[in-house]
Amino acid sequence: MDKFDNIIKDAVEGYEAPYDAQAWANVSAQLGNKGGAMKWIVGSAAAVALITGSVYLMNQDETELNVPVITENTTVENNTIISDNHNVTDNITNDGENTDNNTTVTDDSQSEVPTDFSDNSNPATVPGNAGNTNGNSVNHNVTNQNNDQTVTNPVNTNTGSYPEDIITTRINSKFVCANSEACMSEEFIFTPEDISQSALYVWDFGDGSFSSSKVGTHTYTRSGSFTVTLSLKDSKSNKTLGKSSVEVTVNALPDVQFAYEKSKEMIPTITFINLTEDATDWNWNIKGLKTSTDNQFEYTFRKKGIYMVELSATNEYGCSNSTQKPIEIKNDYNLLAPTAFTPNGDNKNDNFIPEALRLMEVDFTMVVYDKSGKMMYQTNNVNQPWDGTNMNDNSIAEDGAYVWTVQFKNANGEIEYYEGHVIITR
Amino acid sequence: METSEDLRTIVDGCIKGKSKYQQQLFKLFYGKMMAVCMRYAKDRDEAQDMVQNGFIKIFNKLDVYNFEGSLEGWIRRIMVNTAIDQIRKNKRDPFSIEDDSRIQNMEEEVPFADDDEHEIKIKAETAIKAISALSPAYRTVFNLYVIEGMSHKEIAEYLGISEGTSKSNLAKAKMKLKEELSLKFEH
């Protein structure tokens, strides 16, 4: 490790990227979706089992005829779903599409053994409908076909007596949110289980805000618990086709505050005091310079400039907030090192050592280099300052600029590192 | 920072799959881990991908963490592994030498003597940006050697390259970084 390595390491090490609620939403969705995907896989496996089951049954009665049935079923699947969502009452177009796709099958099955077909497929379709998940679209499809063909199965009698009920339960208005609990500044993302429907999606976030986008996103501006409702409405009649609600909790953010004071030493130290009351954890950050999780912390700024000091705090709900204050440092305190000295033997400014080292009582190492990087002098003792000679051969260093570096361990055990220029003029 | 008992509660909660604790763990380490990934990635998007994939791995593997050694260290190791896997995935043969100029082990311990290098405090963002701008081969070796403190031998084994390649990539990475960073100082 050389000095360059250390500089980069120092610069990079304490750095923390700001919190990103979206990143959590993504991770959380992936963690949660794993369960969802499993369900889907199980669901579709069940659907496959149902199809193969019915095919097997059909195969008992008929032979070659049924092979195209499978392919028809899968292709029809999409069409039926779309027509389903357009409007379940819109049976005319539904019929049209279905018969289009099924020309061969419906013709054959109707002409040959229509009753057998429905009898065999019914036991398979009924439990599928009861399950009522997305994966079962194939089964919906089958019942649809049955609707058109026979009036003997239980689903059909239902359609006859309670058409409204069927419509509302057919439309899936359920939605998921990655978290049912979040902090005030964080965005909730509500994702409908089925966003493919052509109905109007109306979100009521329970705090007086509404949205009409398919995926509801909302950031609450006050804490509390709210009921989020998604209504799916028919775009023509404005009739509510389905409605679901979820309760969410919005947690307050901590009220982050801090104060600071400056010591009266030659190199003033700034002490920062945490005034945040409702927090359990906090983190101080002076960008690129220091971070701390202590309640109170101090820092000695060596260079003039305006520094942004940030305090972020987290409360018992895990909600974070932060505040920033600029601190202005008016002077450079580079160990109060003189920028020039005159080693000419007149007992005035004959030696060089950063003044602050005389006061600090630390074990330091000072090294002086010439412009080409050659070491000229090294000392660990304030009483042995540099007198302007080249330590290697005791020759007199030429007039000109030299680089000095000082390194020591401070009271907190951290290594502090300084460097600067000093000019010899005799 | 959380006490070790709090951490244990959070870890246990995460293992049980409780979203509240998962979010707490995420919040605790996101900032630091994003900073790690930003050094391994070419841009913010790639870093975001790495950090998110890393956390998903962490949540899935948390049950094997046995509280020996620091949690942060454990998380960081998974994060670095994830980042490097992702670089591997994105590019064929990503860690080999890019061009044939052979710079062997450059002279180390060169003191700062040049005038433009007396400004020694570099902003984290500037440094990260410069590291990101390196090619994947240089970037990875630089991060592993300088920041993670691995030896050339370890890096060679880890990345499946020769020690010579590791040394040469580090030297070239540092040369490019110095160029890039001293350019910044002039402005």
Side-chain angles (χ1 to χ4, degrees), chain A residues 24 31 34, chain B residues 6-26 28-29 53-76 78-79:
Chain A
W24 167 245
L31 289 169
K34 198 164 282 161
Chain B
D6 289 337
L7 274 183
R8 204 174 262 271
T9 313
I10 292 175
V11 168
D12 286 347
C14 291
I15 292 171
K16 287 181 190 137
K18 290 191 180 157
S19 168
K20 178 184 150 198
Y21 292 107
Q22 289 175 335
Q23 188 175 10
Q24 280 184 16
L25 188 87
F26 186 83
L28 270 179
F29 295 107
N53 288 337
F55 267 108
I56 286 165
K57 258 187 219 168
I58 286 157
F59 285 126
N60 288 336
K61 281 187 179 176
L62 210 50
D63 52 342
V64 302
Y65 172 64
N66 50 10
F67 290 94
E68 283 171 22
S70 88
L71 179 61
E72 182 175 338
W74 185 81
I75 286 181
R76 192 186 167 117
I78 293 185
M79 212 39 94

Side-chain angles (χ1 to χ4, degrees), chain A residues 287-302:
Chain A
K287 267 198 173 166
L289 294 176
K290 187 173 180 181
T291 60
S292 166
T293 52
D294 297 335
N295 198 3
Q296 217 181 73
F297 104 112
E298 48 185 50
Y299 191 77
T300 308
F301 295 91
R302 314 285 176 172

